């Protein structure tokens, strides 16, 4: 269970009745994206840091330990506190690359 | 329901957006100075931008009965250029005297570099010197946690800072607690992909409560939704929350924060001529 137990005013039954369809499609979209990667003309990024972060996030979704969104956010995050000496790129990429 | 969009880059939006925001209940917007999507060529470009923020945009918004306020700064994406930062900082004080300028913002960090932090501190000094409210941009995506931590620690170490006069914006699930726990206001910016969805914003309100939290569209030149706050209102109702709680988040909380500036005034509905 998460650390904010009981803060949703809706019951589980009510949440599922209201929101199942829109989350069903999100699961299917992710499944299709992973299949698309498998079908790629060339398997040339299987160790890409962004793909690794998605796989790690998927593990969190099913481990049953709660606080999923915070833990997934931290998987995507740069965990360091050091300042960069100078600007390396103008925009973020969406996931932390420990080898960059 | 009436609402205030505390973070909207209206220079990037159409007049039709103002119209639709007005028809959906928006009574006021505040517009922080930000990055144009490209680096501006020099201080003159900033002066042109600041003139638009303080003259043209308030007039355009007023056509639809929306009060328009703004914040002044050189944004963190351009703060790597220290000389440009110094030049822009020199022209900002003249704008702080204008009737629709609420403070300094949106300052902050982007990739969390040494020069960005130096520029951030320069702006904080300016805000302290002129007794201004501060509006802060926290970095995007993988830089969010790191950048928010550096910003919060920097401000917490500054004895001049009164946290209740600072909005640390663009919070997400992994950054909101460190902002609130240090006494700052925070904002959840409702974006289709890169920030917080209306549904996740409602989750944050449910789990943390409404104190010192605002929501905003942060609509700009990228994929964004000028009607994101009404989407949030709809999602709150879908979850079974009363209008009293929703109104606190979208209307009363912004007034409580922004009202710390004597310049913040809502439109007088009895007298305004609205062209909708």
């Amino acid at each position: 269970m998460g650390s904010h137990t009981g803060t949703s005013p809706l019951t589980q039954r009510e949440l599922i009745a209201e929101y199942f369809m829109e989350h069903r499609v999100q699961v299917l979209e992710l499944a299709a994206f992973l299949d698309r990667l498998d079908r790629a003309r060339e398997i040339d990024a299987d160790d890409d840091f962004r793909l690794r972060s998605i796989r790690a996030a998927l593990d969190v979704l099913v481990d049953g330990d709660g606080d999923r969104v915070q833990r997934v956010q931290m998987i995507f995050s740069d965990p360091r506190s050091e300042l960069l000496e100078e600007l390396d790129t103008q925009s973020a990429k969406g996931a932390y690359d420990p080898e960059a | 329901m009436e609402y205030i969009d505390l973070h909207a880059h209206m220079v990037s939006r159409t007049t039709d957006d103002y119209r639709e925001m007005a028809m959906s209940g928006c009574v006021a917007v505040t517009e922080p100075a930000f990055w144009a999507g490209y680096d501006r060529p020099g201080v003159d470009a900033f002066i042109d931008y600041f003139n638009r923020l303080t003259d043209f945009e308030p007039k355009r918004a007023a056509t639809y009965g929306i009060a328009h306020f703004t914040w002044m700064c050189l944004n963190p994406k351009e703060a790597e250029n220290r000389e440009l930062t110094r030049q822009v900082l020199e022209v900002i004080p003249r704008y702080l005297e204008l009737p629709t300028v609420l403070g300094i913002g949106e300052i902050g960090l982007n990739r969390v570099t040494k020069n960005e932090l130096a520029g951030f501190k320069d702006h904080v000094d300016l805000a302290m010197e002129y007794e201004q409210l501060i509006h802060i941009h926290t970095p995007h995506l993988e830089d969010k946690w790191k950048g928010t931590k550096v910003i919060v620690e920097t401000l917490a170490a500054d004895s001049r800072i009164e946290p209740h006069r600072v909005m640390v914006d663009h919070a997400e699930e992994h950054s909101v607690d460190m902002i609130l726990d240090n006494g700052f206001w925070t904002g959840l910016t409702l974006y289709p992909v890169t920030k917080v969805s209306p549904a996740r914003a409602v989750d944050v309100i449910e789990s943390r409560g409404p104190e010192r939290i605002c929501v905003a569209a942060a609509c700009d030149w990228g994929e964004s939704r000028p009607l994101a706050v009404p989407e949030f209102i709809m999602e709150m109702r879908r979850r079974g929350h009363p209008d009293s709680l929703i109104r606190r988040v979208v209307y009363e909380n912004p007034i409580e924060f922004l009202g710390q500036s004597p310049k913040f005034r809502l439109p007088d509905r009895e007298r305004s001529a609205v062209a909708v």
Side-chain angles (χ1 to χ4, degrees), chain B residues 18 25 45 94 96 104 106 127 134 136 141-142 182 196 242 262:
Chain B
Y18 273 121
R94 75 175 83 149
L96 298 179
I104 299 293
E106 56 181 311
I134 299 177
I136 294 178
L141 302 166
E142 72 267 26
N182 281 279
V196 177

Side-chain angles (χ1 to χ4, degrees), chain B:
Chain B
M1 178 180 288
E2 290 189 329
Y3 70 91
I4 295 163
D5 198 325
L6 199 139
H7 189 154
H9 298 293
M10 299 309 295
V11 296
S12 302
R13 309 302 309 190
T14 65
T15 299
D16 289 346
D17 290 334
Y18 273 121
R19 185 174 188 273
E20 292 185 2
M21 291 169 74
M23 289 194 298
S24 66
C26 183
V27 295
V29 297
T30 88
E31 177 158 5
F34 85 138
W35 191 50
Y38 55 90
D39 290 347
R40 294 180 178 87
V43 68
D44 286 346
F46 279 87
I47 291 170
D48 179 69
Y49 176 46
F50 294 161
N51 288 343
R52 176 168 179 167
L53 288 175
T54 53
D55 184 16
F56 182 66
E57 289 304 326
K59 291 174 182 169
R60 203 159 67 114
T63 305
Y64 297 96
I66 295 175
H68 181 284
F69 300 93
T70 192
W71 308 76
M72 292 286 114
C73 79
L74 174 141
N75 69 89
K77 286 228 181 196
E78 286 163 305
E80 198 65 12
N81 185 336
R82 292 290 292 152
E83 179 54 29
L84 180 62
T85 302
R86 276 188 282 272
Q87 292 172 3
V88 174
L89 283 164
E90 284 181 13
V91 305
I92 287 176
R94 75 175 83 149
Y95 291 94
L96 298 179
E97 300 171 359
L98 298 179
T100 59
V101 179
L102 298 180
I104 299 293
E106 56 181 311
I107 60 174
L109 300 171
N110 173 39
R111 286 288 289 164
V112 199
T113 71
K114 290 185 174 180
N115 279 354
E116 289 172 15
L117 184 60
F120 173 70
K121 290 179 176 177
D122 290 340
H123 281 87
V124 170
D125 287 343
L126 193 65
M128 293 299 100
E129 181 180 351
Y130 288 88
E131 299 180 343
Q132 298 291 306
L133 296 176
I134 299 177
H135 183 272
I136 294 178
H137 165 97
T138 55
H140 300 297
L141 302 166
E142 72 267 26
D143 299 319
K144 174 77 63 190
W145 183 85
K146 171 184 184 177
T148 304
K149 182 169 182 284
V150 171
I151 287 167
V152 166
E153 289 177 351
T154 299
L155 295 177
D158 189 333
S159 62
R160 302 170 301 170
I161 296 292
E162 298 175 276
H164 63 90
R165 290 177 58 81
V166 179
M167 160 69 65
V168 183
D169 212 345
H170 301 312
E172 295 187 34
E173 296 88 347
H174 56 323
S175 64
V176 68
D177 289 331
M178 72 173 109
I179 298 168
L180 292 174
D181 290 348
N182 281 279
F184 302 106
W185 280 83
T186 195
L188 307 170
T189 42
L190 309 165
Y191 247 48
V193 178
T194 54
K195 298 187 178 77
V196 177
S197 66
R200 285 170 45 215
V202 176
D203 292 333
V204 172
I205 299 296
E206 287 179 349
S207 56
R208 275 78 173 183
E211 188 176 352
R212 284 182 285 115
I213 301 180
C214 298
V215 297
C219 53
D220 54 22
W221 44 261
E223 185 179 344
S224 50
R225 305 281 186 267
L227 299 184
V229 175
E231 287 185 34
F232 169 84
I233 293 169
M234 187 170 66
E235 181 64 20
M236 285 285 281
R237 287 175 173 154
R238 206 175 162 202
R239 298 273 190 98
H241 293 291
D243 274 12
S244 57
L245 175 61
I246 304 171
R247 181 178 167 86
R248 176 165 179 191
V249 176
V250 304
Y251 188 77
E252 294 167 3
N253 277 358
I255 289 174
E256 186 177 343
F257 174 69
L258 298 168
Q260 295 179 90
S261 165
K263 297 178 187 173
F264 182 73
R265 292 278 188 279
L266 290 175
D268 181 348
R269 291 294 180 202
E270 300 303 315
R271 298 175 57 195
S272 63
V274 179
V276 178

Side-chain angles (χ1 to χ4, degrees), chain A:
Chain A
M1 299 293 288
S3 57
H4 301 287
T5 305
T7 54
S8 167
L10 301 184
T11 67
Q12 284 191 338
R13 283 183 186 277
E14 290 168 333
L15 286 166
I16 292 168
E18 182 70 22
Y19 291 99
F20 171 72
M21 290 299 286
E22 59 201 69
H23 291 88
R24 174 184 181 276
V25 72
Q26 289 182 30
V27 172
L28 288 172
E29 288 293 332
L30 185 54
F33 175 60
L34 295 174
D35 283 348
R36 207 171 301 139
L37 289 169
D38 289 345
R39 294 188 293 103
R41 178 172 57 81
E42 188 172 346
I43 305 299
D44 57 354
D46 205 44
D47 197 38
D48 184 279
F49 68 98
R50 289 159 294 193
L51 188 52
R52 287 203 310 268
S53 70
I54 285 180
R55 288 178 178 138
L58 290 173
D59 288 340
V60 166
L61 299 191
V62 296
D63 68 11
D65 289 341
D67 284 331
R68 295 172 189 83
V69 69
Q70 286 204 56
R71 290 192 289 140
V72 168
Q73 286 275 25
M74 290 311 298
I75 287 171
F76 291 134
S77 295
D78 183 346
R80 302 168 300 176
S81 295
E82 298 81 24
L83 304 178
L84 294 181
E85 285 295 325
E86 58 185 18
L87 191 66
D88 55 349
T89 177
Q90 193 65 277
S91 299
K93 296 181 173 65
Y96 171 56
D97 182 1
E99 294 158 13

